[in-house]
Amino acid sequence: MTNLPDDARSALMLLSELVEPGDAELDDLLDETGPIEAVKRLWEGDVPERLRRITSAAVSCTPDPAYRAAQIRAATAACGARVLTPDDPDWPERLRDLLLVCDADEPHVRPPRCLWVRGPHDLAEVCERSVAIVGARAATEYGQHLADDLAAELADAGWTIVSGGAFGIDRAAHLGAMARGGTTVAVLASGVDSPYPKGNVSMFDLIAERGLLLSEWPPGSSAMKHRFLTRNRVIAALTAGTVVIEAALRSGARNTARHAAELGRVLMFTPGPVTSTMSTGVHRLAREPWEARLVTRAEEVIEDLTGIGGPLASEPPPQQRPIDRLTEIEARLVESLPRGYVVETARLAAVAGLPAEVAAETLERLQRMRWVDRVDDRWRLARVPQT
Amino acid sequence: MTNLPDDARSALMLLSELVEPGDAELDDLLDETGPIEAVKRLWEGDVPERLRRITSAAVSCTPDPAYRAAQIRAATAACGARVLTPDDPDWPERLRDLLLVCDADEPHVRPPRCLWVRGPHDLAEVCERSVAIVGARAATEYGQHLADDLAAELADAGWTIVSGGAFGIDRAAHLGAMARGGTTVAVLASGVDSPYPKGNVSMFDLIAERGLLLSEWPPGSSAMKHRFLTRNRVIAALTAGTVVIEAALRSGARNTARHAAELGRVLMFTPGPVTSTMSTGVHRLAREPWEARLVTRAEEVIEDLTGIGGPLASEPPPQQRPIDRLTEIEARLVESLPRGYVVETARLAAVAGLPAEVAAETLERLQRMRWVDRVDDRWRLARVPQT
């Protein structure tokens, strides 16, 4: 007789170790039987053939599932984490949208079953007004500067910055948000006790203190390539939109972008030099049928996230030139007068395409405004340029 | 009795000097009376009040219109130019599209009445497969490099490059096209005998020899600010599409872009660093409701110009890594095996989420392919990395 976990949450924690997230057959089994019975059936081999095969190795390594579940619970407590399941009040509603897009072709795009959370915030609350900033690990200085800046300004405006904790763009985004006292969430492909990569350990410590570390895998789980891809759907689903800053053509960031687009989230990207391979992937986004929006400033990101009725990005301040203060007729006369020439009124009127009287009258006004000088009955540009 | 020009063409040439292009009242008068009678009425003051006022100064400076027309004809011949009017067979059909977009608010967006052409080509023929490349005069090295490159590759593909002859982007585009033996057209805001700016004189000489210089104004006319704006509609209308490379927020290139969009031409832009003020204007294009397309390579420009059914831009070559040659299951096992560890088959199968038998079989295959080494009954990554 197998020793089963007592409660549903412990059973889900155990299952998170056993079967990768997004497994449709396990989800069906959970819907049918609930988590405790699902564990029982797995250990008895009383599950569909495929599910039996992919779990057989782990089941045979784990003779006492209740004990293993208790170990996971202990490890969770030891690193100061807690576990959320879809029934908890701080489970983010947005994650359920994944149910709308997953299909037979993409079984892995299913909602998470269980999330480990480490940090002082309510996950649902901080994600309500959140945006993902993702991009290349091998980012350029330019890209990191942009990510830092954008995250800082979005944090200032009250937006939570969600990213993946990687080197490069992710790191710059997390740090940019925290530098302004903002909230940031790192969605990991490893356990929340040992975030990957180790090189970002001080950053992860800061995030655990001021933001949130998030994972679908139990403490002790290590990051693996397919887990990064699985994780990306959570980044896309948790947030109102995703900004991609620098990405190679084949990259996790582009994968996150695709999830965001498919989920109906706002997909944005920052452009870069076309000569930079780190921008190839983002520029490609603009040519895909995903309606990715080009953004250059936090104001534009907010405009796109909040849509019609939201705050509109103001035009960047124009460079006002002295001639812009003139009326059209005044400007036309000034521009028709070649520097260094002295021209009579009738000729100038002809060149500017103006009636002679209008030209004469306007030139006198321009003289008072010190744009032109009168020389006998002719005109030249004033020597002192207007400022 | 006023001395009138003999023929319609001479009358149109004279009118080009007298009234700026795009004047709706003059166009109406021409439609009604033809060019010779229009000259007669202007000299007699028998025209609508506004038209009379804007021509009065020039008319009073020009007592003999026939003589003035002969002077313009002589100046045209002297610089090796010829004059085209809408009835000529090499008048580009595309220019008539301007009639569709001009309205009371924008009287200046009307088709040209007369074009001076200098160079060895048939204008209609070279414009059939043409694209405009426009942008900032104060372009960066990056922008100029891009313009040169794009123009060269488009010229290679048989596209005529149309631009405005200015410093910066325009210059780079003209030279890029000619460097590959391509055809280029400079649409000027001054006469074709004295293209502006003088600093580009050697380039203009080359264009007159190998491409085409084009102007709506008679020889001797000088470039004025409003003429650049008027000229821009011709660049947009002549071509199948416009690529904007670097532009400040207020710029002629953005004006050309707007014309292109309104004419239903394909509007494209190349992105740049968001930190560069020279890219502000192009990035803004992407956020305006004009469906501007982001392009990074000539192939993409051609894809956008030729539309569905045209040659599709190929994916840029992906960076192929050794692991990309593996099947998904093989890759999963390799990625689940941490470097430096020796792991037993069952454990590895569990981590990779694979049935034990499949893992064992695949690992043996990976061993033959030299991805993994067997150590007793356990596995480690091969020491020699795959290339």
Side-chain angles (χ1 to χ4, degrees):
Chain A
M1 181 62 200
T2 313
N3 201 5
L4 295 174
D6 289 339
D7 61 308
R9 189 178 304 261
S10 298
L12 279 176
M13 290 161 77
L14 176 62
L15 291 170
S16 294
E17 184 177 59
L18 212 64
V19 181
E20 292 294 307
D23 189 292
E25 271 180 351
L26 179 59
D27 284 356
D28 289 347
L29 182 62
L30 285 169
D31 285 347
E32 193 193 319
T33 68
I36 300 173
E37 175 70 14
V39 170
K40 178 164 178 283
R41 294 215 190 158
L42 275 170
W43 256 257
E44 290 172 353
D46 178 20
V47 291
E49 172 59 13
R50 191 197 58 92
L51 203 51
R52 198 190 57 74
R53 280 194 295 123
I54 67 171
T55 52
S56 61
V59 163
S60 69
C61 295
T62 313
D64 184 342
Y67 178 70
R68 181 64 200 141
Q71 282 182 315
I72 300 175
R73 270 204 317 276
T76 301
C79 70
R82 61 197 180 277
V83 168
L84 296 184
T85 69
D87 297 329
D88 291 320
D90 51 342
W91 183 263
E93 278 303 313
R94 283 214 189 93
L95 290 177
R96 298 190 214 279
D97 292 351
L98 286 163
L99 268 181
L100 306 173
V101 296
C102 63
D103 57 27
D105 293 340
E106 297 205 278
H108 288 281
V109 189
R110 299 176 66 89
R113 294 185 297 261
C114 194
L115 287 172
W116 274 259
V117 182
R118 197 179 142 203
H121 298 284
D122 176 312
L123 178 65
E125 200 179 299
V126 297
C127 288
E128 208 160 290
R129 216 173 129 82
S130 69
V131 56
I133 297 182
V134 297
R137 277 164 296 165
T140 65
E141 280 295 320
Y142 163 74
Q144 292 175 64
H145 163 76
L146 220 57
D148 182 295
D149 226 52
L150 211 54
E153 282 174 41
L154 287 166
D156 263 349
W159 289 81
T160 297
I161 305 301
V162 177
S163 194
F167 291 130
I169 298 302
D170 290 14
R171 178 182 165 91
H174 289 304
L175 292 177
M178 288 193 289
R180 298 285 178 95
T183 307
T184 194
V185 178
V187 185
L188 305 169
S190 58
V192 293
D193 62 328
S194 51
Y196 176 91
K198 295 246 183 295
N200 276 344
V201 64
S202 343
M203 180 184 83
F204 290 124
D205 287 348
L206 263 179
I207 297 178
E209 222 173 77
R210 307 182 184 183
L212 286 176
L213 296 175
L214 197 65
S215 175
E216 294 179 76
W217 294 274
S221 305
S222 56
M224 283 182 291
K225 191 189 168 200
H226 60 88
R227 289 186 173 164
F228 288 106
L229 294 176
T230 305
R231 178 274 315 261
N232 290 342
R233 81 197 195 294
V234 175
I235 294 180
L238 267 184
T239 50
T242 292
V243 184
V244 184
I245 300 182
E246 294 200 325
L249 264 187
R250 298 174 68 138
S251 63
R254 278 175 50 84
N255 172 261
T256 308
R258 216 198 57 201
H259 287 311
E262 286 170 355
L263 283 161
R265 305 291 191 257
V266 182
L267 175 58
M268 294 157 280
F269 68 96
T270 55
V274 308
T275 43
S276 160
T277 53
M278 277 303 116
S279 289
T280 319
V282 288
H283 294 152
R284 195 78 201 168
L285 281 181
R287 297 185 59 80
E288 274 153 353
W290 293 342
E291 304 194 6
R293 302 270 300 161
L294 184 152
V295 292
T296 64
R297 297 174 295 138
E299 251 182 329
E300 293 172 350
V301 173
I302 296 169
E303 178 183 320
D304 287 348
L305 287 172
T306 53
I308 295 159
L312 284 175
S314 59
E315 282 275 329
Q319 292 137 307
Q320 178 87 4
R321 297 158 309 160
I323 202 158
D324 295 330
R325 293 193 297 264
L326 298 183
T327 66
E328 198 203 312
I329 288 176
E330 288 165 356
R332 219 158 149 148
L333 279 166
V334 168
E335 282 159 355
S336 302
L337 192 49
R339 180 159 298 280
Y341 283 74
V342 185
V343 182
E344 55 196 1
T345 309
R347 183 42 80 190
L348 201 50
V351 170
L354 291 170
E357 325 80 88
V358 173
E361 196 184 296
T362 311
L363 283 163
E364 275 162 31
R365 193 163 62 245
L366 285 167
Q367 185 186 18
R368 289 194 299 275
M369 293 157 71
R370 306 212 177 156
W371 276 89
V372 298
D373 294 329
R374 188 196 291 263
V375 183
D376 303 325
D377 243 7
R378 300 184 302 160
W379 302 93
R380 70 166 179 221
L381 284 179
R383 290 187 192 278
V384 183
Q386 295 285 322
T387 51
Chain B
M1 181 62 200
T2 313
N3 201 4
L4 295 174
D6 289 340
D7 60 307
R9 188 178 305 259
S10 297
L12 279 175
M13 289 160 78
L14 176 62
L15 290 170
S16 294
E17 184 177 59
L18 212 65
V19 181
E20 292 293 308
D23 189 293
E25 271 180 350
L26 179 60
D27 284 355
D28 289 347
L29 182 62
L30 284 168
D31 285 347
E32 193 192 321
T33 70
I36 302 176
E37 176 69 16
V39 170
K40 178 164 177 282
R41 293 214 191 160
L42 275 171
W43 255 259
E44 290 172 352
D46 179 22
V47 291
E49 171 60 13
R50 191 197 59 92
L51 203 51
R52 198 189 59 72
R53 281 193 294 124
I54 67 169
T55 53
S56 61
V59 163
S60 69
C61 296
T62 315
D64 185 342
Y67 178 68
R68 182 63 199 142
Q71 283 183 315
I72 300 175
R73 270 204 316 276
T76 302
C79 71
R82 60 197 180 277
V83 168
L84 297 183
T85 69
D87 296 329
D88 291 321
D90 51 341
W91 183 264
E93 279 303 313
R94 282 212 189 95
L95 290 177
R96 299 190 214 278
D97 292 351
L98 286 164
L99 269 179
L100 307 172
V101 295
C102 64
D103 58 27
D105 292 340
E106 296 205 277
H108 288 279
V109 189
R110 298 176 66 88
R113 294 184 297 261
C114 194
L115 286 172
W116 275 260
V117 181
R118 203 180 138 200
H121 298 284
D122 177 312
L123 179 64
E125 201 180 299
V126 296
C127 288
E128 209 159 289
R129 217 173 128 81
S130 69
V131 57
I133 297 183
V134 298
R137 278 165 296 165
T140 65
E141 280 295 321
Y142 163 74
Q144 292 175 66
H145 164 75
L146 218 58
D148 183 294
D149 227 51
L150 211 54
E153 282 173 42
L154 288 166
D156 263 350
W159 289 80
T160 297
I161 304 300
V162 177
S163 193
F167 291 129
I169 298 302
D170 290 14
R171 178 183 164 90
H174 289 304
L175 292 176
M178 289 192 289
R180 298 286 178 94
T183 307
T184 193
V185 178
V187 185
L188 304 169
S190 57
V192 292
D193 61 328
S194 51
Y196 176 91
K198 295 245 183 294
N200 276 346
V201 64
S202 343
M203 179 184 83
F204 289 126
D205 286 349
L206 264 179
I207 297 178
E209 223 173 77
R210 308 181 183 183
L212 285 176
L213 297 175
L214 197 66
S215 176
E216 294 180 77
W217 294 274
S221 304
S222 56
M224 285 182 290
K225 190 190 168 199
H226 60 88
R227 289 185 173 163
F228 288 106
L229 294 176
T230 306
R231 180 275 314 265
N232 289 342
R233 81 197 195 295
V234 174
I235 295 180
L238 268 183
T239 49
T242 292
V243 184
V244 184
I245 301 181
E246 293 201 324
L249 263 187
R250 299 175 67 137
S251 64
R254 277 175 51 85
N255 172 260
T256 308
R258 215 199 58 200
H259 287 312
E262 285 171 354
L263 283 160
R265 305 291 190 258
V266 183
L267 176 56
M268 295 155 280
F269 69 96
T270 54
V274 308
T275 43
S276 161
T277 53
M278 277 301 116
S279 289
T280 320
V282 289
H283 293 152
R284 195 77 202 170
L285 282 181
R287 297 184 58 80
E288 274 153 355
W290 293 342
E291 304 193 8
R293 301 271 300 161
L294 185 151
V295 292
T296 64
R297 296 173 297 136
E299 252 181 328
E300 292 172 350
V301 174
I302 295 168
E303 178 183 321
D304 287 348
L305 287 172
T306 54
I308 294 159
L312 284 176
S314 60
E315 283 273 330
Q319 291 139 306
Q320 180 86 5
R321 297 159 307 162
I323 202 159
D324 296 330
R325 293 194 296 265
L326 298 183
T327 66
E328 199 203 310
I329 287 175
E330 288 165 356
R332 222 160 147 147
L333 278 166
V334 168
E335 284 159 354
S336 302
L337 191 50
R339 182 158 296 283
Y341 284 74
V342 185
V343 183
E344 56 196 1
T345 309
R347 182 41 80 188
L348 201 50
V351 170
L354 291 170
E357 325 82 88
V358 173
E361 195 183 297
T362 310
L363 283 163
E364 273 162 32
R365 193 162 62 243
L366 285 167
Q367 186 187 17
R368 288 193 298 275
M369 294 157 72
R370 306 211 175 156
W371 277 89
V372 299
D373 294 330
R374 188 197 292 261
V375 183
D376 302 326
D377 244 5
R378 299 183 303 158
W379 303 93
R380 71 166 177 220
L381 283 178
R383 290 188 192 276
V384 182
Q386 294 287 322
T387 52

